Amino acid sequence: MHALELFGISTAYYVAPITGDARVSRIVTNIGLPWIWERQYRARLHLIDPLPRIAIDRLEAFVWPDQLGDEKLSPKERRYLSIAAKYGLARGVAVACFGPNGRSGFLGAVLSKDAPTPDGIALMRIHSLGQTSIQRYCRLVPRTVTIPALSNRELEVLHWIGQGKSNSVIAELLEISPSSVDVYVRRLFAKLDVSDRTMAAVKALSLGMIISGDYTKMLKDAAQLQPPGGSSLD
């Protein structure tokens, strides 16, 4: 993300694995995008997101929607692009990333509304960043590591655990009872095979399931320093 900021990109999402069948279970890492978008993406929007499919077909970075060209999109796929735009994903760079042993991922690097369209060299560099990221991810998370399947609510609770929130605060944020949060926390401990909140957060970070509170703060600080309509290259 530090490198992507050189192109004026401070928000992104990462999906792994990617296949031609969107029904295959995927892990979604959200960096700086609205939580409600992530929740809906995990629940159903991933089924109609056309960008990973197109990225696999093209095997090179492209800008959406500018460079979608004559792509044949279904009504549901067009609806996804419309929904995504409402959550700040109107434009971005799509990259299919490939690692060892057939591992794959998708990087959606979101462009700000006023950002210029990256030229060919910039797209190649962003593509290289995506490739570097998946290589690093494959080293950090060996294929033998099993990533547990979590429900949307469990992911929400895990997110706030990673932000250092107590069960009572999480209950207020999610508008559920403290006893319900206790149940979700116990389930998380069991699924992640950990015994405390710190280890749950550390393991979730290592698996790319959440991002740290420090990174969230850094994004907010960077946004405040960003000149209106400009980028860090200005």
Side-chain angles (χ1 to χ4, degrees):
M1 291 306 299
H2 284 300
L4 286 176
E5 285 182 0
L6 296 175
F7 302 94
I9 297 170
S10 60
T11 57
Y13 71 106
Y14 188 83
V15 179
I18 52 171
T19 67
D21 186 351
R23 294 171 298 177
V24 174
S25 179
R26 295 172 171 177
I27 294 295
V28 181
T29 303
N30 165 20
I31 304 173
L33 294 168
W35 176 254
I36 188 172
W37 168 85
E38 179 183 342
R39 182 180 185 184
Q40 293 186 13
Y41 193 92
R42 292 180 189 277
R44 59 185 180 277
L45 291 181
H46 69 280
L47 296 171
I48 58 174
D49 180 359
L51 300 177
R53 171 183 63 79
I54 296 171
I56 292 176
D57 291 340
R58 295 194 180 186
L59 296 179
E60 60 183 9
F62 66 92
V63 180
W64 84 81
D66 309 41
Q67 297 175 350
L68 288 180
D70 298 327
E71 289 288 343
K72 295 181 179 179
L73 302 179
S74 69
K76 289 184 178 180
E77 289 175 331
R78 293 185 184 280
R79 176 167 170 73
Y80 168 78
L81 293 177
S82 176
I83 294 172
K86 295 178 180 179
Y87 291 110
L89 291 88
R91 296 176 64 238
V93 178
V95 182
C97 311
F98 299 93
N101 301 314
R103 300 179 71 179
S104 61
F106 170 81
L107 170 65
V110 182
L111 294 167
S112 65
K113 182 174 63 175
D114 300 324
T117 299
D119 59 19
I121 294 177
L123 287 178
M124 289 178 62
R125 289 173 175 169
I126 294 172
H127 194 167
S128 296
L129 290 175
Q131 283 298 120
T132 302
S133 296
I134 194 171
Q135 294 289 337
R136 182 60 175 159
Y137 174 80
C138 291
R139 287 195 294 270
L140 290 171
V141 184
R143 199 178 185 91
T144 54
V145 173
T146 300
I147 299 178
L150 303 181
S151 68
N152 268 333
R153 184 63 84 187
E154 288 168 342
L155 285 164
E156 288 177 321
V157 172
L158 183 59
H159 165 78
W160 290 117
I161 288 176
Q163 301 294 316
K165 304 299 184 183
S166 66
N167 284 9
S168 59
V169 172
I170 294 174
E172 292 180 7
L173 290 168
L174 300 182
E175 298 182 345
I176 58 179
S177 68
S179 60
S180 294
V181 175
D182 291 340
V183 171
Y184 287 121
V185 170
R186 288 196 295 271
R187 287 181 187 173
L188 287 169
F189 286 179
K191 289 185 176 183
L192 293 171
D193 192 24
V194 297
S195 58
D196 59 60
R197 301 167 70 87
T198 300
M199 288 305 300
V202 169
K203 189 163 187 178
L205 281 167
S206 71
L207 294 175
M209 303 176 78
I210 62 173
I211 60 173
S212 70
D214 289 341
Y215 197 88
T216 302
K217 182 178 183 302
M218 188 196 78
L219 284 174
K220 291 180 179 178
D221 291 345
Q224 292 176 354
L225 294 174
Q226 189 83 355
S231 74
S232 54
L233 291 178
D234 294 339

